[in-house]
Amino acid sequence: MNTRTRTDSRRGRRERREVERDARRSRLRVLLSRADRGVLTPEESALLRGDVEAEMAECDTHRRIAGGQQAAAMRLHRRIEAAEQCVAETEAERDQYAAEAEALRPYAIEEGRR
């Protein structure tokens, strides 16, 4: 039996990241409002820097992932187009051979009578 905890599962990791991101964004809002008023302490400045850098790193990671997904989607799109072209060519050959076979039918019937 699988005894993984929720944080080991993909869903659990995603939920944990969302909670961390929400907490970080809440801190950012508080720290930015304090910065607007000019009352940040040195510890808060360091916290602000850490949270902003974490947001930037996460954003960069997601941007790279999205780029990879777009590239994969384009490759699949090209494969689908090639497959559709192949199907169209195969159908055209089928129709051509069917027409040739139909044209030969009278000769086959004549041969069958002999």
Side-chain angles (χ1 to χ4, degrees):
M1 185 166 134
N2 191 351
T3 60
R4 292 188 323 174
T5 61
R6 175 158 279 219
T7 58
D8 291 337
S9 70
R10 180 178 292 178
R11 181 175 164 195
R13 289 189 308 266
R14 184 182 67 237
E15 289 173 357
R16 188 184 71 239
R17 282 192 309 267
E18 287 175 3
V19 167
E20 290 171 358
R21 183 175 42 251
D22 290 343
R24 189 171 55 235
R25 289 181 177 183
S26 273
R27 283 193 312 268
L28 282 171
R29 286 183 187 95
V30 169
L31 293 171
L32 289 173
S33 67
R34 288 181 56 79
D36 283 342
R37 293 190 312 267
V39 292
L40 277 182
T41 65
E43 295 81 21
E44 290 173 330
S45 293
L47 184 59
L48 178 61
R49 173 175 285 286
D51 284 346
V52 168
E53 287 175 352
E55 281 292 319
M56 290 171 30
E58 189 174 309
C59 181
D60 291 343
T61 299
H62 290 298
R63 190 174 290 118
R64 279 192 304 275
I65 290 169
Q69 290 172 345
Q70 286 176 341
M74 291 301 294
R75 286 191 301 272
L76 289 174
H77 184 69
R78 287 192 295 270
R79 286 184 71 183
I80 289 169
E81 286 178 339
E84 288 174 346
Q85 179 65 31
C86 183
V87 167
E89 290 172 3
T90 302
E91 289 173 344
E93 285 181 16
R94 176 204 61 203
D95 294 344
Q96 176 188 350
Y97 292 138
E100 289 175 6
E102 191 60 35
L104 294 174
R105 176 175 263 174
Y107 299 111
I109 292 172
E110 189 62 34
E111 280 294 315
R113 291 185 186 160
R114 288 188 196 180

